[in-house]
Amino acid sequence: MEQTKRGKVVVTGSFITDIAVFTSRFPADGETVPGRSIQFGPGGKGSNQATAASRAGAEVIMITKIGTDFMGEIARTHYKNENMTQKYVYTQEGGETGSAIIEINAETAENRIIVLKGANDALTKEEIDQAEAEFQECDVLLTQLEASQISVLESIRLARRYGKTVVLNPAPAGEIDEALFGEIDYFTPNETEAEFYTGIRVTDEQTAERAADRLLDKGVKNVIITLGKIGVYAKTKEFQGIVPAFRVKAVDTTGAGDAFNGGFCAALAEGKSVRDAVSFANALAALSVTRRGTSPAMPYRGEIEKC
Ligand code: ATP
Ligand code: RIB
C-alpha cells in the first residue's frame, strides 16, 4: 500500500520502561522458575503506538511525561533515535518514570504484565493545552488509559474542538465517564477490554458483534475489536465483519494491540479507507509479534508494504 499523503497523528499517553523476562513457563504462586533472557527497552502503550505510527510513515506528536530517574533517559534516547519531537515530553521533577515487569512465556509467546504508571499519572490538563496547535493541525488523535484521566479527557476535548478523528484504545480497561463514549469516533478494545465495557465474553465473530452493538448503543461511532491471531472484528459505518490476521510465527505478542492502533491511525490519517487501514494495521501488528520487545519490534513502512 503506497503512501500518498503523510498524515499527522497526535498521541497522548504513557511512556513506560519495559523489563521483559522470557521463561519456559510462568511460575505458580510461591514458585521460582529459571528465566531464559531479560530485555530492557522503551515501551508503554502510548509510546508504543506513537512509535508504530511514526515508523509506518505518519508525522507523530507524542505527548507524555517521564521522571528524573535513569529510565527517563531511555525515553529521551528512544525519541531521539526515532526522530520524534520531544517538545511535549514533560518531566516530573523527582518523579519516577513508568515501568513494567513483563513475563513472557517463550513457548506460547503469551505475556503477563504489572505496570507502574509513575509520572504518566501526573500529566496535566495544562501540559496537553500547550500542544493545542498540534491538535488543530493533526488528522487523528490517538489516546489510551495508561496516563492521567485528565490528560485523556483534555486530549479528546481539544481534538473534538477542531473536528479531528478521535481514536480511543481503552487499555488498560478502567472506568470511563459514560458521556465520553459519544465523543469517540473509533473505540478499539481487545477481547478482554470489550468484555469489561459490555459484560459480553468475546470469543468469536458472533460475540464480538454483540459486544460491538452494545458499545454502539453507548454512543461510540465505530467499533474495532482486536482478536489476537484471529485478526479484527469491525463494526463501522463503512464495513462490518472479520478482517483476518496475517499468519506468522509469534515470538512475543506484547504490544500487538499498540502496533495495531498505531498502524490504524497512521493509515486513517493519510486518508485510507477504514477497511484498508485495518488491513495495514493487521500487517504491522503481525510483523511486530515476530520480534521481541514492544516499541523496538515495530516494523517500518517498507516492511509493512511488502507483507
Ligand atoms: P497487547 O495487550 O499485548 O498489546 P492486545 O491484546 O491488545 O495485545 P491483540 O488483540 O492480541 O491485542 O492483537 C492485536 C492485533 O495484533 C490483532 O488484531 C492482529 O492483527 C495482531 N496479532 C496479534 N497476535 C497475532 C498473531 N499471533 N499472529 C498474527 N497477528 C497477530
Ligand atoms: O501494551 C504493551 C505495553 O503495556 C507494554 O509496553 C507495557 O509498558 C505495558 O504498559
Side-chain angles (χ1 to χ4, degrees):
M1 279 182 220
E2 224 168 83
Q3 186 162 17
T4 45
K5 168 204 168 207
R6 190 170 189 226
K8 179 164 177 169
V9 181
V10 170
V11 182
T12 59
S14 54
F15 174 85
I16 303 273
T17 298
D18 287 346
I19 304 161
V21 180
F22 289 79
T23 176
S24 307
R25 66 177 176 85
F26 292 131
D29 286 352
E31 188 188 16
T32 301
V33 298
R36 284 196 193 173
S37 63
I38 188 164
Q39 188 173 318
F40 286 76
K45 294 182 192 299
S47 194
N48 292 339
Q49 295 177 11
T51 305
S54 175
R55 289 187 180 183
E59 180 192 349
V60 173
I61 303 295
M62 176 71 201
I63 308 176
T64 190
K65 198 161 193 172
I66 56 178
T68 42
D69 50 11
F70 77 96
M71 292 189 291
E73 287 312 309
I74 296 177
R76 299 245 174 243
T77 304
H78 176 66
Y79 296 130
K80 185 162 175 271
N81 290 344
E82 298 292 325
N83 287 318
M84 285 164 65
T85 179
Q86 298 191 37
K87 193 170 171 193
Y88 307 104
V89 178
Y90 299 105
T91 303
Q92 184 187 29
E93 274 309 312
E96 287 173 358
T97 303
S99 55
I101 307 293
I102 306 176
E103 295 174 1
I104 299 155
N105 184 321
E107 301 299 328
T108 64
E110 291 303 321
N111 62 67
R112 296 174 177 182
I113 304 177
I114 301 174
V115 64
L116 292 151
K117 292 207 258 176
N120 294 296
D121 234 1
L123 189 57
T124 65
K125 174 180 180 297
E126 292 68 30
E127 287 164 339
I128 299 294
D129 290 347
Q130 281 180 46
E132 181 161 350
E134 311 290 354
F135 285 82
Q136 199 169 354
E137 284 172 11
C138 78
D139 299 289
V140 174
L141 164 71
L142 171 58
T143 191
Q144 334 68 31
L145 302 177
E146 206 169 45
S148 65
Q149 205 176 50
I150 188 68
S151 69
V152 176
L153 297 178
E154 184 62 2
S155 303
I156 293 176
R157 192 186 70 78
L158 279 182
R160 303 284 321 162
R161 171 186 283 178
Y162 295 110
K164 307 303 179 177
T165 301
V166 173
V167 180
L168 176 64
N169 173 229
E175 294 302 331
I176 52 178
D177 187 335
E178 288 286 315
L180 200 64
F181 287 111
E183 308 296 322
I184 295 161
D185 294 301
Y186 293 91
F187 192 71
T188 62
N190 66 11
E191 298 113 308
T192 53
E193 291 145 6
E195 180 176 354
F196 179 89
Y197 292 103
T198 65
I200 296 166
R201 188 154 174 268
V202 174
T203 52
D204 56 15
E205 182 167 359
Q206 287 68 38
T207 47
E209 181 171 14
R210 281 181 45 221
D213 284 339
R214 195 157 297 175
L215 291 164
L216 293 171
D217 288 345
K218 284 176 182 282
V220 303
K221 296 182 186 66
N222 301 280
V223 179
I224 293 179
I225 302 176
T226 62
L227 302 168
K229 64 179 175 219
I230 296 174
V232 156
Y233 175 78
K235 190 141 194 180
T236 71
K237 294 194 167 64
E238 196 186 295
F239 84 101
Q240 304 176 3
I242 295 274
V243 182
F246 287 74
R247 289 180 66 137
V248 292
K249 167 128 184 52
V251 299
D252 179 4
T253 61
T254 322
D258 300 334
F260 179 87
N261 278 279
F264 178 67
C265 290
L268 273 191
E270 68 187 59
K272 287 197 192 308
S273 69
V274 176
R275 179 73 176 73
D276 285 351
V278 169
S279 288
F280 180 85
N282 272 350
L284 192 161
L287 288 167
S288 79
V289 304
T290 64
R291 302 163 186 174
R292 288 183 171 194
T294 54
S295 285
M298 301 305 171
Y300 291 88
R301 180 81 187 199
E303 300 173 273
I304 305 163
E305 281 172 353
K306 278 197 214 122
C307 196

